[in-house]
Amino acid sequence: MTCPLCAAEAPLQDFAVTGGPEGASAAICATCVEQIEGTPVPSHWRGLAGAMWSEEPAVQVLAARMLGRIDEAWANDLADQLYLDDEMRAWVENVETTLEHRDSNGALLARGDTVVLIKDLPVKGAGFTAKRGTAVRGISLSPDNAGHIEGRVEGQRIVILTEFVKKK
């Protein structure tokens, strides 16, 4: 059988696609399952260009989620081209988070929280230092690393280690 995500000829297994209709699943190869649950290798996911237009909603949701996780120019271009109706977009974004993001004091962080930097942080590639005491509003949580959050500082979207922030 051919995997609908990567187009590999391999045995397929049912993979539950959470956050949407009860019992939704897609038949995908073991390599895709492994990389969805772990760290994706960008070269494996070139087949997403076709998968994102699948008529199977569960396959389309998995393709959209993987495009969001791959930090490559081609994946960003495909994600920009992808059209999803409101119901599908909600399903894509409804991912269960099993990671707990905690600040330097152990307080649980949630998406949209405001945090304050507790140390001056040089921002690589942006040419400035984020100063101690800077408030970062509307943070987002890294889905695959409990030690990382994202937020805007001086107009730049940056990744911040949770050990250098406290919840406000």
Side-chain angles (χ1 to χ4, degrees), residues 143-161:
D144 50 357
N145 190 334
H148 291 173
I149 60 170
E150 291 183 25
R152 286 203 178 279
V153 176
E154 294 187 25
Q156 295 278 340
R157 186 129 184 105
I158 63 171
V159 175
I160 306 166
L161 297 178

Side-chain angles (χ1 to χ4, degrees), residues 27 31 38 40 47 56 102 111 138 146:
T31 305
E56 265 189 72
R102 296 192 177 269
R111 182 175 173 211

Side-chain angles (χ1 to χ4, degrees), residues 1 6 17 25 29 35 37-38 42-43 46 48 52-53 60 63 69 72 82 89 102 113 126 128 138 151-152 162 168:
M1 301 290 297
C6 68
V17 184
S25 67
C29 70
Q35 291 192 28
E37 293 173 345
S43 60
R46 290 292 190 158
L48 291 178
M52 67 187 219
W53 303 114
Q60 195 174 17
R69 288 183 56 197
E72 297 275 327
L82 182 60
R89 174 74 52 202
R102 296 192 177 269
D113 281 350
F128 70 91
R152 286 203 178 279
T162 56
K168 192 169 184 181

Side-chain angles (χ1 to χ4, degrees), residues 11-164:
L12 303 181
Q13 61 189 56
D14 276 342
F15 181 79
V17 184
T18 60
E22 184 78 24
S25 67
I28 59 176
C29 70
T31 305
C32 286
V33 170
E34 203 174 286
Q35 291 192 28
I36 288 170
E37 293 173 345
T39 304
V41 176
S43 60
H44 174 78
W45 296 100
R46 290 292 190 158
L48 291 178
M52 67 187 219
W53 303 114
S54 173
E55 291 187 20
E56 265 189 72
V59 171
Q60 195 174 17
V61 166
L62 286 174
R65 287 178 180 173
M66 290 311 298
L67 286 172
R69 288 183 56 197
I70 299 171
D71 190 24
E72 297 275 327
W74 63 266
N76 294 335
D77 290 343
L78 289 175
D80 289 343
Q81 294 172 21
L82 182 60
Y83 171 78
L84 298 171
D85 61 29
D86 292 339
E87 186 177 313
M88 288 289 281
R89 174 74 52 202
W91 186 6
V92 168
E93 294 171 356
N94 189 12
V95 179
E96 295 176 20
T97 54
T98 56
L99 298 177
E100 286 188 342
H101 294 73
R102 296 192 177 269
D103 72 0
S104 60
N105 297 326
L108 189 62
L109 297 173
R111 182 175 173 211
D113 281 350
T114 298
V115 296
V116 177
L117 301 179
I118 61 170
K119 176 182 175 182
D120 287 354
L121 301 173
V123 180
K124 295 179 183 176
F128 70 91
T129 300
K131 299 293 184 190
R132 186 179 91 197
T134 300
V136 182
R137 291 173 180 76
I139 64 168
S140 59
L141 309 176
S142 174
D144 50 357
N145 190 334
H148 291 173
I149 60 170
E150 291 183 25
R152 286 203 178 279
V153 176
E154 294 187 25
Q156 295 278 340
R157 186 129 184 105
I158 63 171
V159 175
I160 306 166
L161 297 178
T162 56
E163 64 191 83
F164 299 126

